[in-house]
Amino acid sequence: MDMLTVEDINVYYGAIHAIKGISLSVAKGGITTLIGSNGAGKSTTLHTISGLLKPKTGKITFEGQDITGKPAHKIVGMGLSQVPEGRHVFANMTVMENLDLGAYLRRDKEEINKDLTDVFTKFPRLLERKDQIAGTLSGGEQQMLAMGRALMSRPRLMLLDEPSMGLAPLLVQEIFNIIKEINDSGTTVLLVEQNARMALSIADKAYVLETGNITLEGTGKELLNSEAVQKAYLGG
């Protein structure tokens, strides 16, 4: 069953036609990935789904409800959260304050505490640094904090935008292991990632985006073995 469907959306930045009538779906419980080169429209697609941008035409449905053009905070309240590219932690606040902000729409104190324990189990380094100012964390730790903050809203669907960007290879592996763990715990994932090999290796379903168009789709394995994908994105 599809948790999210995007139907024929067109998105513009002024006169620039950034997304050209794309359609995609995200199956409940799985990992769907969107790969493509810089400027292909991957982040624009995520911003449109999460309500940060409005499509000119087309429809976005989340768990059977039309969310096209809904304000971003309302979409978060419905169970969809985004981990932005570049992490965007609140640099002058502590780790703990950042995590608290992730739960700002919630009032279920006991459950919030349970989720906080779960975040610290997934990211032990955040527990060690809970009183540290977020801007002083390393890039990898900030990525973990951005993911932890998104988990605090208890999303049923998490959008991840370039989680491995700028990280050392060992940390990239750790972040992908955690994405898999988040998914195994029951959260559906839509992943945008330039590290195509890593993204396709964990994805159930995958799409290739080129200059605002979807040019290929299939299972992660199919695209990993595709000659066109290997030539364009895997250095094959």
Side-chain angles (χ1 to χ4, degrees):
M1 183 188 141
D2 290 330
M3 179 178 259
L4 178 84
T5 55
V6 172
E7 298 169 66
D8 197 25
I9 60 165
N10 285 277
V11 184
Y12 289 79
Y13 289 111
I16 298 164
H17 194 178
I19 299 294
K20 301 163 184 170
I22 72 166
S23 297
L24 59 89
S25 60
V26 175
K28 186 177 181 178
I31 297 176
T32 300
T33 191
L34 199 51
I35 65 166
S37 53
N38 254 340
K42 305 185 304 294
S43 293
T44 301
T45 302
L46 289 196
H47 289 336
T48 308
I49 292 167
S50 62
L52 296 170
L53 289 171
K54 286 188 180 178
K56 193 161 189 180
T57 59
K59 186 180 179 184
I60 302 164
T61 309
F62 175 59
E63 293 187 324
Q65 292 190 66
D66 186 351
I67 61 166
T68 319
K70 261 192 192 297
H73 68 281
K74 290 262 166 67
I75 291 174
V76 171
M78 292 170 77
L80 187 158
S81 69
Q82 180 169 345
V83 179
E85 180 184 348
R87 303 179 262 282
H88 292 286
V89 297
F90 297 102
N92 298 322
M93 299 170 88
T94 66
V95 165
M96 195 65 213
E97 287 167 338
N98 268 269
L99 293 172
D100 284 342
L101 272 172
Y104 81 106
L105 287 174
R106 297 174 59 185
R107 298 291 173 266
D108 49 339
K109 251 195 164 142
E110 271 182 39
E111 294 300 310
I112 289 171
N113 287 333
K114 265 190 210 169
D115 289 345
L116 188 60
T117 303
D118 187 44
V119 165
F120 286 146
T121 304
K122 281 187 176 70
F123 304 103
R125 258 175 283 186
L126 296 184
L127 179 58
E128 289 164 23
R129 290 159 172 69
K130 67 184 172 70
D131 300 319
Q132 195 169 319
I133 297 297
T136 65
L137 299 174
S138 70
E141 288 161 354
Q142 287 189 22
Q143 185 60 53
M144 291 173 191
L145 179 55
M147 289 165 75
R149 182 181 61 192
L151 284 170
M152 288 304 295
S153 70
R154 195 174 270 189
R156 292 185 296 286
L157 173 60
M158 184 186 272
L159 312 183
L160 283 156
D161 196 354
E162 303 285 8
S164 80
M165 188 182 271
L167 301 185
L170 266 176
L171 261 178
V172 171
Q173 186 62 62
E174 189 177 342
I175 291 293
F176 272 87
N177 289 344
I178 293 164
I179 293 168
K180 198 83 185 69
E181 197 182 314
I182 287 167
N183 180 244
D184 289 342
S185 307
T187 305
T188 304
V189 172
L190 174 57
L191 169 67
V192 153
E193 180 55 64
Q194 270 193 301
N195 187 330
R197 191 180 299 281
M198 290 292 284
L200 294 173
S201 71
I202 66 165
D204 303 295
K205 191 173 185 180
Y207 295 89
V208 175
L209 197 58
E210 287 177 18
T211 57
N213 296 286
I214 284 174
T215 55
L216 271 176
E217 64 177 273
T219 65
K221 198 173 181 181
E222 283 166 354
L223 265 59
L224 203 50
N225 294 324
S226 152
E227 207 173 305
V229 171
Q230 285 180 4
K231 274 185 183 161
Y233 303 106
L234 306 176

